[in-house]
């Protein structure tokens, strides 16, 4: 039987430490949402797009059209070992403006406010029902119009 030396004990401790560290979760932060202190400086009905951008920074995303609303998004993602990454926190700050570009509203949404959006499949009906390829091909014989292509 071999002897247990301090060097082998240190090696075993290092292997155990690395094994435990490999199983600990890692966190990633994405995006930016301004803090409440900066939002308190905004005045609804007074500030404009340019003053909002100067006070709290440019938005993460803009509205659909030029001159749309501002959206600030921040997410925190946890990865644990080989598992799929999981979003554990998400905040969305929506800053809306009226037609003249004056600040209208400030709303904050969290991950708990989110809803699953069901995408609908829009399929165009072909109008062909219970007809196979050969019947379609033979059904067009004799339907030639005088002004049709040659």
């Amino acid at each position: 039987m071999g002897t247990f030396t301090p060097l082998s004990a240190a090696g075993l401790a290092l292997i155990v430490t690395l094994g435990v560290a490999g199983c600990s979760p890692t966190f990633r932060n994405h995006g930016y949402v301004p803090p409440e202190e900066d939002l308190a400086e905004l005045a609804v009905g007074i500030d404009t797009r340019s003053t909002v951008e100067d006070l709290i920074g440019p938005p993460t995303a803009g509205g659909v059209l030029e001159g749309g609303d501002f959206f600030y998004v921040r997410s925190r993602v946890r990865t644990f070992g080989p598992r799929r990454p999981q979003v554990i926190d998400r905040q969305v700050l929506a800053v809306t403006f009226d037609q003249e570009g004056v600040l209208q509203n400030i709303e904050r949404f969290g991950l708990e406010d989110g809803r699953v959006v069901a995408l609908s499949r829009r399929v165009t009906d072909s109008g062909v029902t219970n007809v196979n390829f050969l019947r379609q091909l033979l059904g067009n014989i004799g339907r030639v119009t005088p002004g049709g292509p040659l």
Side-chain angles (χ1 to χ4, degrees), residues 10-120:
L12 181 62
L14 179 64
I15 290 172
V16 169
T17 302
L18 289 176
V20 170
C23 292
S24 64
T26 56
F27 297 93
R28 291 179 313 190
N29 296 314
H30 301 279
Y32 167 74
V33 171
E36 286 296 327
E37 300 83 36
D38 292 346
L39 295 176
E41 296 179 21
L42 298 176
V44 175
I46 297 174
D47 284 314
T48 62
R49 279 188 178 83
S50 61
T51 59
V52 168
E53 193 170 340
D54 290 342
L55 287 171
I56 62 175
T60 305
V64 176
L65 302 173
E66 181 67 30
D69 299 331
F70 288 175
F71 298 97
Y72 298 86
V73 182
R74 182 180 69 203
S75 298
R76 185 169 171 87
V77 179
R78 179 181 70 189
T79 305
F80 188 74
R83 295 181 185 165
R84 175 183 294 179
Q86 179 183 14
V87 177
I88 58 171
D89 183 36
R90 178 175 295 134
Q91 289 187 11
V92 177
L93 180 75
V95 180
T96 57
F97 300 94
D98 62 10
Q99 302 293 344
E100 289 79 34
V102 177
L103 179 62
Q104 184 179 11
N105 195 12
I106 301 171
E107 292 181 284
R108 186 180 297 266
F109 303 99
L111 190 59
E112 64 278 354
D113 297 322
R115 294 181 302 195
V116 175
V117 178
L119 299 176
S120 64

